[in-house]
Amino acid sequence: MDILLKSESELEKMRVAGRLAAKVLEMIGPYVQPGVSTLELDEIMQHYIEDEEHAISACLNYHGYPKCTCISINEEVCHGIPSPSRRLRKGDIVNIDVTVIKDRYHGDTSKMFIVGHETTPLCKKLCQCSQESLYAAIRAVGPGKNLTIVGETISPIAKKYGFSIVRDYCGHGIGTGFHEDPQVLHYRNEMSVILEPGMTFTIEPMINAGTHKCTVNHKNGWTVTTKDKMPSAQYEHTIAITADGVEVLTLRDEEDFPRILKTV
Ligand code: MF3
Ligand code: CO
Ligand code: CO
């Protein structure tokens, strides 16, 4: 494992990239309405990233990925490909995952949207569980702590709700690389890494209402869905380990969560 520690000047670039990724999610909110197609949303975000932010999407052409963002609806776990024929309906729960590159550095973040601001109690709880899992894991990490604390923290939260944690996909180190070491597992595990200031990685728990098992769409090779077609939810932030805690690089203005936390 080769974990790259970022210098203060690199962290400054990560802050810029993280802020730009967060702004895409802030910007797209009002457009997430019943009737809009996921391609329309993708095109609005692509225009914003390229022409307003003067950044680029890290996803476009990544291992052949065809679009700018990932938009995953209901039983789709991640990597939903924006499409003109996929229109949002009232009550859908939708994850929009945005990764931008600015000045060579990546910012990666996602959140759930509830279409029409109303959904089933199950879907509401699922969104709540994934955000609560992300926030608790961010509060748990810090210098000198073991990365296994992420899975240890999320596990009892998912259990409390009666939901499962996806095992096939994980968070990741991030910097000039989109997916750097280490892997960040969201379930209980023994991938021991002692955290140090300058480490930057994502935490992005995918929580399923039913089984944790997933399948990849064999027609497009990308879109991951739950095996039992029950819904799934995910929130993601890019964070940096600091001298005495953690900094959230992709925080949105709307969030009731601190950007800088002292955790040790
Ligand atoms: N943004 C995703 C992540 O959180 C990765 C998407 S890769 C893509 O790691 F190719 F599907 F866009
Ligand atoms: Co990520
Ligand atoms: Co992402």
Side-chain angles (χ1 to χ4, degrees):
M1 194 146 32
D2 184 20
I3 301 176
L4 302 171
L5 300 181
K6 277 73 180 182
S7 66
E8 188 49 47
S9 68
E10 289 183 286
L11 286 171
E12 197 43 58
K13 292 180 182 183
M14 296 284 295
R15 284 185 192 104
V16 172
R19 181 68 199 131
L20 292 177
K23 278 175 70 179
V24 177
L25 293 180
E26 292 173 346
M27 177 281 298
I28 201 66
Y31 298 96
V32 181
Q33 298 281 352
V36 74
S37 77
T38 54
L39 183 66
E40 286 163 356
L41 294 175
D42 185 74
E43 286 172 348
I44 294 165
M45 290 188 279
Q46 179 163 14
H47 171 265
Y48 186 77
I49 291 167
E50 294 176 356
D51 301 341
E52 304 279 335
E53 297 190 330
H54 306 289
I56 61 171
S57 159
C59 298
L60 188 59
N61 300 319
Y62 180 77
H63 293 284
Y65 187 77
K67 296 291 174 204
C68 184
T69 63
C70 296
I71 306 182
S72 308
I73 307 169
N74 300 335
E75 74 282 1
E76 293 172 350
V77 175
C78 61
H79 306 164
I81 301 176
S83 147
S85 62
R86 192 70 200 264
R87 291 192 179 274
L88 300 185
R89 298 194 215 167
K90 188 163 181 281
D92 284 343
I93 55 167
V94 181
N95 176 274
I96 301 185
D97 192 338
V98 174
T99 311
V100 304
I101 306 173
K102 179 75 171 184
D103 202 3
R104 293 176 49 241
Y105 285 80
H106 290 69
D108 185 6
T109 186
S110 82
K111 67 166 278 191
M112 298 302 296
F113 295 89
I114 295 173
V115 180
H117 305 286
E118 241 178 273
T119 187
T120 63
L122 177 73
C123 286
K124 221 181 283 173
K125 267 195 258 168
L126 205 52
C127 296
Q128 208 177 8
C129 178
S130 57
Q131 189 172 42
E132 187 178 326
S133 296
L134 172 60
Y135 284 165
I138 293 172
R139 288 188 183 282
V141 295
K145 309 240 193 145
N146 198 308
L147 187 59
T148 53
I149 195 94
V150 170
E152 274 159 37
T153 302
I154 295 173
S155 214
I157 297 173
K159 192 171 177 176
K160 171 181 82 180
Y161 281 88
F163 297 147
S164 66
I165 304 164
V166 169
R167 305 172 74 90
D168 294 356
Y169 300 88
C170 58
H172 48 91
I174 183 167
T176 55
F178 190 167
H179 296 107
E180 299 181 353
D181 285 341
Q183 292 195 62
V184 180
L185 306 184
H186 303 108
Y187 54 94
R188 223 182 272 280
N189 69 90
E190 286 178 8
M191 294 260 281
S192 182
V193 176
I194 302 303
L195 299 175
E196 293 175 41
M199 287 183 178
T200 50
F201 55 89
T202 72
I203 303 176
E204 49 182 299
M206 285 149 267
I207 304 292
N208 293 354
T211 179
H212 68 85
K213 290 187 183 158
C214 299
T215 49
V216 180
N217 181 306
H218 63 271
K219 284 181 202 153
N220 69 30
W222 279 102
T223 308
V224 178
T225 57
T226 57
K227 204 152 203 179
D228 58 9
K229 304 283 182 240
M230 297 270 282
S232 181
Q234 178 181 30
Y235 279 81
E236 174 177 24
H237 272 314
T238 298
I239 66 167
I241 301 298
T242 63
D244 63 358
V246 59
E247 179 174 344
V248 184
L249 303 177
T250 48
L251 198 73
R252 298 179 302 283
D253 289 343
E254 124 227 351
E255 286 182 278
D256 185 16
F257 195 81
R259 195 174 62 81
I260 296 172
L261 279 102
K262 195 168 146 64
T263 62
V264 293

